[in-house]
């Protein structure tokens, strides 16, 4: 519930009061008027109407209303079971649900001032906080599904549905703006306000630089969390940043889908070169791979110091230029390290996968899963050709990945005890089920570089983070399983101000501020209105860190209304029980659900065993976290699988 804005939560409670109140009123009146002479029925009328009074009090935000409603609700159940001798099961569950629906709002209601009021207030708080409600909801799959739907639907409905009226091509509505997805979409129209009075991006970089401060760690996340976030976003957030393109920062090369292009390539031609050519039957549908020791990895991109010609169609890895320059360095140390890194780059579908060994590690796992599934399909479906095997394995792997996105990754981010489920049916009739289009705001809010620690440990050796850039050797030397265990055993950095590694500040944070300006994004304060939150009135309301307040106050001359969107996102305090601040969390949730659950493979007439085959259907049902895929594609023991997680073992809900 904490992910819903206060205004939406108020509206949701009002709506529930109206719906449940109307039902109770209707039933009260029916019992009073439609059973002449039947006193057992007539007396039930006032009990229902008393329940309506309880709901009215909750509508007025009085906690006592919850207790009146719950007591009378309980009485209705007893009355039906013992006096009207109706079947008990008809009444127990619905009446628990009716009361349970109001529980998440209990803390927002006012306690009574008397002793009874205070006692009930405390008891209710305990009731709200205890895990029993969560367990109860989980134990009733239909209820879990219903609550899951309500939460996801409520979140996505905070903002207007796609298509957004504007994109970065024009600052007014135009046909090109509505259809050409090479330009990034935008949630809010561009601002006319000139940027000249605002602080220079280089000065604002001070908000991200750690300086001499020690690195802050995230209390909730292991390094597996940013590893996954980076891999996920590299697949569909793809802003053009090459300054030789006159429209850099505004254009993108995204397919706007979770399509696993880091594994399969962005285009048909790229997919083709990643697949085994003219395969023997046992290799039907497989992606090219090599064995290093007894482990399967993608093939290398370079052969004998030259790009392997079979892979020229692939996008060149981002940052390759730097490595190639260093390969000619006069300093033998730099030169040898660069040559080693170059020769161990993998031929991957995505140009950003080689950027750090963590991302290569995830792609390797998915590559193995694809090839394993392809092998199974060949055995089980002798009539299938190479393409059918490939396409079906690809369908399964993409949906497995989306399940992990929702059921492991989003659940890690969410401050909720109740696990959310990847239930595709939520989107089938939803008004927000519209074609995806990545926005420029999304590309900025997802830049979580402060999660990256200064040092990353691989196989017992500590690497300063900059020595891991485009360096797959730690992964290859230690093996994939060890990589997952290592990433799960380390703390992620804390997302927020003064915490980005210096190697990433100039390279990423400064251009990010520039991107916001180039796209004429409205201020952070204006975006608060868009997501239905009350904007902070001062920097002190945004952040509890005096250093942040002082810095921003000075740079923006005390005017929070001028603060750049990107700056506000990362200056804001993190919320309890989540690794993220509220605005990022809300906007991630909106876009994550409305873009993941609208995947064509999850649509109503596609999401069935015919699309995935019986075996594939069963396989994708067995996946909800990375450890499930590791169990199939590594030699991990059950103990090791338990050690693979995005949430730190020492973390507890507050
Ligand atoms: C050590 C780890 C990381 C490195 C070396 C790295 C590197 C980079 C670089 C060089 C860029 C700029 C790309 C360009 O100029 O086109 C970038 C952008 C970006 N990074 Fe990272 N990154 C890392 C971790 C992360 C993490 C943990 C996230 C979390 C989600 C993330 C999300 C993004 C996003 C969303 C962008 C913008 C992409 C776009 O709009 O095209 N990165 N990163």
């Amino acid at each position: 519930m904490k992910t819903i804005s206060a205004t939406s939560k108020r509206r949701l409670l009002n709506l529930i009061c109206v719906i449940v109140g109307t039902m109770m009123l209707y039933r009260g009146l029916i019992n009073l008027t439609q059973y002449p002479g039947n006193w057992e029925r007539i007396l039930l009328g006032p009990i229902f109407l008393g329940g309506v009074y309880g709901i009215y009090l909750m509508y007025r935000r009085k906690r006592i209303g919850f207790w009146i409603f719950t007591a009378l609700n309980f009485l209705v159940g007893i009355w039906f079971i013992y006096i009207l001798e109706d079947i008990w099961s008809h009444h127990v569950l619905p009446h628990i649900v009716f009361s349970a629906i109001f529980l998440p709002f209990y803390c927002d209601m006012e306690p009574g001032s008397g002793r009874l009021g205070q006692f009930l207030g405390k008891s209710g708080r305990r009731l709200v906080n205890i895990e029993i409600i969560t367990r109860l909801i989980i134990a009733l799959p239909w209820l879990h599904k219903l609550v899951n739907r309500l939460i996801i639907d409520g979140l996505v409905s905070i903002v207007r549905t796609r298509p957004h009226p504007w994109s970065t091509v024009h600052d007014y509505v135009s046909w090109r703006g509505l259809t050409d997805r090479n330009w990034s979409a935008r949630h809010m129209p561009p601002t006319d306000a000139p940027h000249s009075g605002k602080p220079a991006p280089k000065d604002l970089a001070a908000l991200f630089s750690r300086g001499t401060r020690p690195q802050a760690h995230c209390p909730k996340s292991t390094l597996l969390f940013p590893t996954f976030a980076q891999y996920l976003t590299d697949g569909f957030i793809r802003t053009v940043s090459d300054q030789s393109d006159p429209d850099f920062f505004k254009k993108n090369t995204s397919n706007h889908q979770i399509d696993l292009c880091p594994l399969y390539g962005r285009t048909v031609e790229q997919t083709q070169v990643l697949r085994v050519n003219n395969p023997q039957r046992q290799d039907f549908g497989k992606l090219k791979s090599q064995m290093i020791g007894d482990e399967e990895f993608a093939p290398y991109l370079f052969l004998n110091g030259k790009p392997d010609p079979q892979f020229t169609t692939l996008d060149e890895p981002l940052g390759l230029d730097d490595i190639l320059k260093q390969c000619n360095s006069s300093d033998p140390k730099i030169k040898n390290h660069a040559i080693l890194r170059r020769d161990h780059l993998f031929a991957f579908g995505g140009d950003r996968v080689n950027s750090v060994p963590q991302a290569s590690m995830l792609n390797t796992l998915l590559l193995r899963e694809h090839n394993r599934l392809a092998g199974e399909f060949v055995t089980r479906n002798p009539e299938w050709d190479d393409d059918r095997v490939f396409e079906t394995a690809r369908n399964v792997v993409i949906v497995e990945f989306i399940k992990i996105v929702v059921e492991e990754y989003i659940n890690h981010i969410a401050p909720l005890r109740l696990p959310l489920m990847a239930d595709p049916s939520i989107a089938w009739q939803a008004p927000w089920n519209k074609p995806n289009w990545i926005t420029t705001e999304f590309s900025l809010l997802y830049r979580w570089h402060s999660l990256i620690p200064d040092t990353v440990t691989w196989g017992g050796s500590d690497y300063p983070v900059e020595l891991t850039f485009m360096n797959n050797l730690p992964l290859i030397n230690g093996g994939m399983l060890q990589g997952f265990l290592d990433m799960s055993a380390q703390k992620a950095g804390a997302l927020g101000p003064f915490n980005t590694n210096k190697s990433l500040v100039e390279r990423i944070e400064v251009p990010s501020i520039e991107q916001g300006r180039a796209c004429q994004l409205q201020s952070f304060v204006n975006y608060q209105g868009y997501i239905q939150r009350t904007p902070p009135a001062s920097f002190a309301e945004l952040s509890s860190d005096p250093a942040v307040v002082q810095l921003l106050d000075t740079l923006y001359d005390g005017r929070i209304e001028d603060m750049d969107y990107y700056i506000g996102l990362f200056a804001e305090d993190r919320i309890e029980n989540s690794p993220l601040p509220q605005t990022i969390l809300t906007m991630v949730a909106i876009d994550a659900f409305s873009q993941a659950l609208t995947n064509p493979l999850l649509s109503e007439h596609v999401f069935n065993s015919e699309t995935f085959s019986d075996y594939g259907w069963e396989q994708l049902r067995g996946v909800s976290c990375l450890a499930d895929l590791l169990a199939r594609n590594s030699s991990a023991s059950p103990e090791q699988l338990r050690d693979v997680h995005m949430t730190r073992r020492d973390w507890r809900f507050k």
Side-chain angles (χ1 to χ4, degrees):
M1 274 296 165
K2 278 190 178 164
T3 51
I4 300 182
S5 71
T7 320
S8 313
K9 204 174 170 189
R10 267 198 306 280
R11 286 191 191 146
L12 189 60
L13 175 58
N14 290 348
L15 185 71
I16 293 173
C17 286
V18 170
I19 294 172
V20 182
T22 310
M23 283 162 60
M24 294 287 155
L25 181 66
Y26 172 77
R27 293 186 67 190
L29 293 177
I30 293 283
N31 279 290
L32 273 178
T33 58
Q34 301 298 306
Y35 297 93
N38 181 347
W39 289 104
E40 288 163 352
R41 279 286 185 174
I42 292 173
L43 280 176
L44 202 50
I47 302 179
F48 270 119
L49 296 183
V52 176
Y53 179 64
I55 292 176
Y56 169 72
L57 291 177
M58 283 194 272
Y59 184 79
R60 303 273 317 272
R61 306 303 188 257
K62 307 270 184 224
R63 281 188 186 167
I64 188 71
F66 173 81
W67 294 105
I68 293 176
F69 174 69
T70 302
L72 293 175
N73 196 16
F74 183 68
L75 190 56
V76 170
I78 299 285
W79 199 278
F80 267 102
I81 296 165
Y82 292 104
I83 299 186
L84 296 174
E85 297 186 352
D86 201 344
I87 304 170
W88 71 272
S89 58
H90 281 182
H91 295 282
V92 175
L93 287 184
H95 287 268
I96 291 175
V97 174
F98 280 141
S99 289
I101 280 177
F102 291 98
L103 270 178
F105 304 96
Y106 186 84
C107 291
D108 301 332
M109 299 180 203
E110 290 166 27
S113 49
R115 269 194 179 176
L116 178 68
Q118 282 179 6
F119 168 75
L120 292 178
K122 277 188 197 145
S123 317
R125 257 184 190 286
R126 252 177 253 136
L127 208 57
V128 175
N129 288 333
I130 52 176
E131 284 175 45
I132 292 175
I133 300 163
T134 313
R135 293 215 191 123
L136 179 79
I137 296 176
I138 296 169
L140 301 170
W142 61 270
L143 183 58
H144 193 180
K145 220 174 153 172
L146 178 76
V147 177
N148 186 55
R149 177 180 294 258
L150 280 174
I151 293 175
I152 294 178
D153 219 37
L155 281 168
V156 179
S157 309
I158 290 176
V159 300
R160 90 171 95 70
T161 56
R162 290 187 295 273
H164 298 300
W166 317 273
S167 83
T168 43
V169 62
H170 292 134
D171 51 9
Y172 46 86
V173 178
S174 67
W175 180 249
R176 197 161 168 215
L178 290 169
T179 55
D180 184 349
R181 294 196 296 166
N182 292 315
W183 299 85
S184 300
R186 56 190 312 150
H187 279 279
M188 289 190 81
T191 173
D192 294 336
H195 286 293
S196 51
K198 290 199 179 178
K202 277 204 166 24
D203 296 336
L204 284 166
L207 180 74
F208 299 93
S209 304
R210 193 175 309 128
T212 52
R213 297 173 185 84
Q215 172 151 49
H217 287 107
C218 176
K220 187 171 185 183
S221 309
T222 68
L223 196 44
L224 192 58
F225 166 59
T227 298
F228 192 85
Q230 182 180 0
Y231 181 82
L232 167 70
T233 52
D234 281 354
F236 57 82
I237 303 183
R238 303 183 44 83
T239 310
V240 173
S241 62
D242 177 358
Q243 305 206 355
S244 62
D245 184 327
D247 298 311
F248 72 98
F249 286 154
K250 295 185 175 179
K251 282 189 153 176
N252 69 81
T253 55
S254 176
N255 288 333
H256 304 279
Q257 289 288 2
I258 299 184
D259 61 353
L260 281 184
C261 63
L263 179 65
Y264 296 114
R266 273 185 315 113
T267 64
V268 177
E269 295 72 27
Q270 291 178 348
T271 308
Q272 208 51 44
V273 301
L274 291 164
R275 288 176 58 179
V276 176
N277 299 326
N278 302 318
Q280 300 285 309
R281 191 170 162 76
Q282 75 270 12
D283 288 332
F284 271 14
K286 288 194 177 165
L287 292 164
K288 287 176 185 159
S289 68
Q290 61 170 325
M291 295 304 287
I292 304 179
D294 55 0
E295 296 217 39
E296 186 180 22
F297 287 99
Y300 288 134
L301 190 62
F302 278 74
L303 262 187
N304 306 322
K306 298 262 171 295
D308 185 338
Q310 62 175 321
F311 296 122
T312 45
T313 325
L314 298 179
D315 290 339
E316 187 175 279
L318 210 71
L320 181 65
D321 283 354
D322 292 340
I323 293 200
L324 295 184
K325 265 186 223 141
Q326 290 172 19
C327 286
N328 295 321
S329 169
S330 52
D331 179 338
K333 214 170 146 205
I334 295 179
K335 180 176 175 167
N336 292 340
H337 186 55
I339 291 175
L340 262 181
R341 287 190 293 157
R342 179 198 67 195
D343 290 348
H344 292 90
L345 292 173
F346 290 119
F348 281 147
D351 55 359
R352 297 163 192 214
V353 194
N354 278 295
S355 65
V356 279
Q358 300 93 290
S360 297
M361 174 185 89
L362 269 178
N363 213 48
T364 303
L365 176 64
L366 294 169
L367 175 126
R368 290 188 194 175
E369 174 68 353
H370 176 98
N371 283 353
R372 187 192 67 81
L373 285 165
E376 291 286 345
F377 289 143
V378 166
T379 316
R380 288 159 197 268
N381 303 281
E383 72 287 5
W384 283 11
D385 64 9
D386 179 31
D387 282 344
R388 178 82 194 265
V389 173
F390 173 78
E391 296 297 348
T392 310
R394 184 190 203 176
N395 293 349
V396 176
V397 179
I398 290 174
V399 176
E400 286 177 341
F401 184 72
I402 294 175
K403 285 194 74 187
I404 295 171
V405 169
V406 177
E407 296 184 358
E408 181 166 27
Y409 170 75
I410 298 280
N411 277 329
H412 171 75
I413 293 174
L416 299 172
R417 283 171 192 266
L418 186 77
L420 297 173
M421 298 178 293
D423 171 9
S425 70
I426 297 172
W428 291 346
Q429 308 302 330
W432 45 265
N433 191 339
K434 301 281 165 58
N436 291 354
W437 191 336
I438 302 299
T439 60
T440 189
E441 292 94 338
F442 197 53
S443 126
L444 291 177
L445 71 85
Y446 234 130
R447 299 183 182 200
W448 301 346
H449 295 97
S450 47
L451 291 177
I452 299 297
D454 291 344
T455 307
V456 184
T457 306
W458 285 90
S461 305
D462 294 339
Y463 294 80
V465 71
E466 56 276 18
L467 290 190
T468 66
F469 296 167
M470 305 199 77
N471 182 3
N472 285 322
L473 280 162
L475 167 70
I476 296 167
N477 293 340
M480 184 187 75
L481 171 61
Q482 188 57 46
F484 275 94
L485 293 169
D486 286 342
M487 295 311 113
S488 307
Q490 294 171 71
K491 298 171 190 167
L495 192 83
F498 306 131
N499 207 30
T500 305
N501 181 275
K502 65 176 182 316
S503 62
L504 299 169
V505 174
E506 276 292 310
R507 173 76 181 83
I508 299 166
E509 307 295 13
V510 173
S512 302
I513 303 164
E514 286 165 351
Q515 179 175 326
R517 302 259 173 108
C519 295
Q520 292 174 269
L521 291 196
Q522 302 217 13
S523 66
F524 176 79
V525 163
N526 287 359
Y527 276 91
Q528 297 301 296
Y530 177 67
I531 59 168
Q532 304 190 28
R533 289 186 70 210
T534 312
S538 65
F539 293 109
E541 271 185 30
L542 178 79
S543 168
S544 58
D545 182 342
V548 171
V549 176
Q550 200 197 351
L551 177 74
L552 296 182
D553 227 5
T554 312
L555 287 170
Y556 286 102
D557 214 5
R559 291 173 53 84
I560 192 167
E561 57 277 27
D562 285 348
M563 184 175 52
D564 294 77
Y565 165 76
Y566 188 71
I567 297 296
L569 291 174
F570 293 93
E572 194 179 21
D573 280 345
R574 285 191 311 280
I575 65 164
E576 213 168 57
N577 294 324
S578 170
L580 307 180
Q582 184 70 59
T583 306
I584 294 185
L585 179 65
T586 307
M587 294 190 77
V588 161
I590 294 168
D591 275 343
F593 288 119
S594 76
Q595 298 187 21
L597 295 180
T598 49
N599 190 286
L601 283 167
L602 300 183
S603 64
E604 191 169 2
H605 307 295
V606 177
F607 187 66
N608 53 47
S609 59
E610 238 174 86
T611 302
F612 304 98
S613 84
D614 286 343
Y615 177 74
W617 186 244
E618 173 211 307
Q619 289 294 292
L620 67 88
R621 285 177 170 248
V623 171
S624 65
C625 60
L626 288 166
D628 292 331
L629 289 187
L630 264 183
R632 295 173 181 173
N633 296 290
S634 74
S635 56
S637 66
E639 293 73 38
Q640 287 175 317
L641 291 175
R642 274 198 292 279
D643 285 340
V644 174
H645 37 73
M646 297 186 194
T647 305
R648 280 170 55 173
R649 279 288 174 256
D650 57 354
W651 183 82
R652 298 283 173 275
F653 265 108
K654 296 216 175 69

